[in-house]
Amino acid sequence: MSKTIIALDFSSADQVVEFLKQFDEPVYVKIGMELTYAEGLSIVETVKKMGHHIFLDLKLCDIPNTVKGGMRNLAKLGVDMVNVHCSGGIAMMKAAKEGLIEGAKDGQVPLLIGVTILTSISQEALNNELGIQGEVLDTVVRYAKNAKEAGLDGVVCSVHEAKAIREACGPDFVTVTPGIRLASDNVNDQKRVATPAYAKEQGAHMIVVGRSITGSANPKETYELIEGMMN
Ligand code: C5P
């Protein structure tokens, strides 16, 4: 399966279908809040019918019973990957996994990954707004260990954290890393970016790439170039 997940940050189903038409082979795509809240969960069915793999990035975080029920229903959609916030705690993450197992279509349990600390949270905000002391990396690693203990398959983290997580949680614990740019790209609003080659070097299992592919003159060619760098 592809190691490059294309972030479908479009605002309508029509734009998504138009964009995906150029890929004749299945690709791995990320459907997030913007698209889901604009189109409803029917967007998942639309993309699935085109044969693509789906990471449904809705970042659940609530009390365990509510997350369990939500995951039971998301599992019925037959997506490949879903996520929760690690900050919801170990009991919530365990409940998420139970819900997914209960709702899994044909026994196919989607991969469950945890969002560690959002890459938009600075060191200063972590310490002074959220009241969590110490380095961002220490909290990220602690959250990743919690996710592993709860039975999750991996975490979303920055490329710069992938190596420490691999050392703490082992080589099979999946790291999914956004913030990827080709050396020639515009950085846009991302702060700490890295190239696909560096992501591979740091041991990231999968990368999430949005604008480098969707904004490229030839998205299919750019996707193939990036996927080649990850293999
Ligand atoms: O266009 P770009 O490659 O920056 O898009 C990155 C994608 O990854 C977006 O969908 C963004 O919401 C998501 N993401 C991120 N940083 C995180 C978590 C998710 O950029 N920490």
Side-chain angles (χ1 to χ4, degrees):
M1 203 180 283
S2 166
K3 290 180 178 165
T4 307
I5 303 175
I6 307 173
L8 293 178
D9 291 325
F10 296 107
S11 49
S12 75
D14 288 349
Q15 286 174 316
V16 166
V17 170
E18 200 48 43
F19 174 78
L20 287 176
K21 266 187 197 162
Q22 65 198 300
F23 297 93
D24 7 273
E25 297 291 320
V27 288
Y28 213 129
V29 299
K30 178 171 93 67
I31 296 176
M33 290 183 199
E34 184 183 351
L35 197 50
T36 307
Y37 296 160
E39 295 287 349
L41 286 168
S42 64
I43 186 67
V44 169
E45 196 50 38
T46 305
V47 173
K48 260 183 78 79
K49 274 197 186 133
M50 295 179 86
H52 302 296
H53 305 289
I54 300 172
F55 167 21
L56 187 57
D57 177 23
L58 296 181
K59 299 186 177 71
L60 275 64
C61 192
D62 207 317
I63 58 170
N65 190 52
T66 303
V67 169
K68 183 175 179 177
M71 283 298 182
R72 193 185 298 123
N73 290 330
L74 291 185
K76 290 179 187 152
L77 299 171
V79 294
D80 300 276
M81 192 192 293
V82 292
N83 59 359
V84 291
H85 274 287
C86 295
S87 59
I90 293 175
M92 187 205 76
M93 290 191 276
K94 279 186 177 165
K97 182 86 184 188
E98 285 166 15
L100 280 183
I101 292 169
E102 281 178 18
K105 223 176 172 179
D106 312 323
Q108 293 287 319
V109 184
L111 282 183
L112 175 60
I113 59 172
V115 178
T116 52
I117 296 287
L118 294 169
T119 45
S120 52
I121 300 288
S122 65
Q123 180 69 53
E124 204 266 329
L126 184 81
N127 298 150
N128 300 333
E129 280 177 33
L130 304 183
I132 300 173
Q133 298 315 309
E135 300 288 321
V136 171
L137 183 64
D138 297 337
T139 301
V140 166
V141 170
R142 189 163 69 246
Y143 280 9
K145 284 183 180 167
N146 288 349
K148 188 171 181 193
E149 189 184 328
L152 268 59
D153 301 290
V155 288
V156 184
C157 62
S158 112
V159 173
H160 309 279
E161 297 150 359
K163 205 171 199 168
I165 291 172
R166 195 186 184 89
E167 278 159 19
C169 300
D172 297 333
F173 192 67
V174 176
T175 47
V176 179
T177 63
I180 302 295
R181 290 290 179 277
L182 290 169
S184 54
D185 277 341
N186 188 331
V187 169
N188 304 111
D189 55 347
Q190 295 280 18
K191 298 282 187 284
R192 297 172 70 217
V193 297
T195 60
Y198 185 68
K200 186 183 180 202
E201 189 191 310
Q202 292 300 301
H205 292 80
M206 300 177 97
I207 54 175
V208 176
V209 187
R211 287 161 289 185
S212 288
I213 294 175
T214 57
S216 140
N218 188 335
K220 185 165 183 268
E221 220 168 72
T222 308
Y223 164 77
E224 283 165 0
L225 173 76
I226 292 175
E227 180 63 10
M229 290 174 180
M230 286 297 289
N231 286 290

